[in-house]
PDB file of all heavy atoms in Angstrom:
ATOM      1  N   SER P  51     127.538 104.333 187.677  1.00 50.00           N
ATOM      2  CA  SER P  51     126.252 104.190 186.940  1.00 50.00           C
ATOM      3  C   SER P  51     126.580 103.542 185.569  1.00 50.00           C
ATOM      4  O   SER P  51     127.662 103.879 184.997  1.00 50.00           O
ATOM      5  CB  SER P  51     125.644 105.599 186.689  1.00 50.00           C
ATOM      6  OG  SER P  51     126.554 106.455 186.042  1.00 50.00           O
ATOM      7  N   ILE P  68     111.640 105.920 157.267  1.00 64.00           N
ATOM      8  CA  ILE P  68     112.165 106.254 156.120  1.00 64.00           C
ATOM      9  C   ILE P  68     111.623 105.612 154.798  1.00 64.00           C
ATOM     10  O   ILE P  68     111.318 106.273 153.871  1.00 64.00           O
ATOM     11  CB  ILE P  68     113.770 106.076 156.064  1.00 64.00           C
ATOM     12  CG1 ILE P  68     114.296 106.998 157.196  1.00 64.00           C
ATOM     13  CG2 ILE P  68     114.332 106.393 154.769  1.00 64.00           C
ATOM     14  CD1 ILE P  68     115.837 106.596 157.375  1.00 64.00           C
ATOM     15  N   GLU P 118     101.255  77.468  96.376  1.00 94.00           N
ATOM     16  CA  GLU P 118     100.579  78.631  96.115  1.00 94.00           C
ATOM     17  C   GLU P 118     100.363  78.919  94.524  1.00 94.00           C
ATOM     18  O   GLU P 118      99.693  79.857  94.169  1.00 94.00           O
ATOM     19  CB  GLU P 118     101.389  79.825  96.697  1.00 94.00           C
ATOM     20  CG  GLU P 118     101.376  79.791  98.126  1.00 94.00           C
ATOM     21  CD  GLU P 118     100.111  79.850  98.832  1.00 94.00           C
ATOM     22  OE1 GLU P 118      99.173  80.574  98.380  1.00 94.00           O
ATOM     23  OE2 GLU P 118      99.962  79.109  99.786  1.00 94.00           O
ATOM     24  N   ARG P 136      88.146  81.936  88.954  1.00 98.00           N
ATOM     25  CA  ARG P 136      87.233  82.630  89.810  1.00 98.00           C
ATOM     26  C   ARG P 136      88.153  82.823  91.161  1.00 98.00           C
ATOM     27  O   ARG P 136      88.731  82.035  91.761  1.00 98.00           O
ATOM     28  CB  ARG P 136      86.021  81.718  90.266  1.00 98.00           C
ATOM     29  CG  ARG P 136      85.131  81.327  89.063  1.00 98.00           C
ATOM     30  CD  ARG P 136      84.353  82.510  88.529  1.00 98.00           C
ATOM     31  NE  ARG P 136      83.511  82.141  87.522  1.00 98.00           N
ATOM     32  CZ  ARG P 136      83.750  82.115  86.208  1.00 98.00           C
ATOM     33  NH1 ARG P 136      84.981  82.452  85.809  1.00 98.00           N
ATOM     34  NH2 ARG P 136      82.975  81.672  85.330  1.00 98.00           N
ATOM     35  N   TYR P 141      87.100  87.222 104.457  1.00 96.00           N
ATOM     36  CA  TYR P 141      87.597  88.085 105.447  1.00 96.00           C
ATOM     37  C   TYR P 141      87.038  87.680 106.833  1.00 96.00           C
ATOM     38  O   TYR P 141      85.739  87.443 106.843  1.00 96.00           O
ATOM     39  CB  TYR P 141      87.151  89.484 105.132  1.00 96.00           C
ATOM     40  CG  TYR P 141      87.348  90.588 106.313  1.00 96.00           C
ATOM     41  CD1 TYR P 141      88.549  91.319 106.169  1.00 96.00           C
ATOM     42  CD2 TYR P 141      86.462  90.793 107.313  1.00 96.00           C
ATOM     43  CE1 TYR P 141      88.877  92.294 107.194  1.00 96.00           C
ATOM     44  CE2 TYR P 141      86.779  91.791 108.235  1.00 96.00           C
ATOM     45  CZ  TYR P 141      87.839  92.437 108.226  1.00 96.00           C
ATOM     46  OH  TYR P 141      88.170  93.391 109.202  1.00 96.00           O
ATOM     47  N   ASN P 198      95.026  98.308  90.189  1.00 96.00           N
ATOM     48  CA  ASN P 198      96.273  98.936  90.128  1.00 96.00           C
ATOM     49  C   ASN P 198      97.432  98.161  89.571  1.00 96.00           C
ATOM     50  O   ASN P 198      98.506  98.345  89.846  1.00 96.00           O
ATOM     51  CB  ASN P 198      96.537  99.426  91.615  1.00 96.00           C
ATOM     52  CG  ASN P 198      97.551 100.539  91.665  1.00 96.00           C
ATOM     53  OD1 ASN P 198      97.436 101.600  90.960  1.00 96.00           O
ATOM     54  ND2 ASN P 198      98.605 100.456  92.404  1.00 96.00           N
TER      55      ASN P 198
END
Side-chain angles (χ1 to χ4, degrees):
S51 61
I68 294 173
E118 298 300 321
R136 302 290 184 267
Y141 175 92
N198 203 51

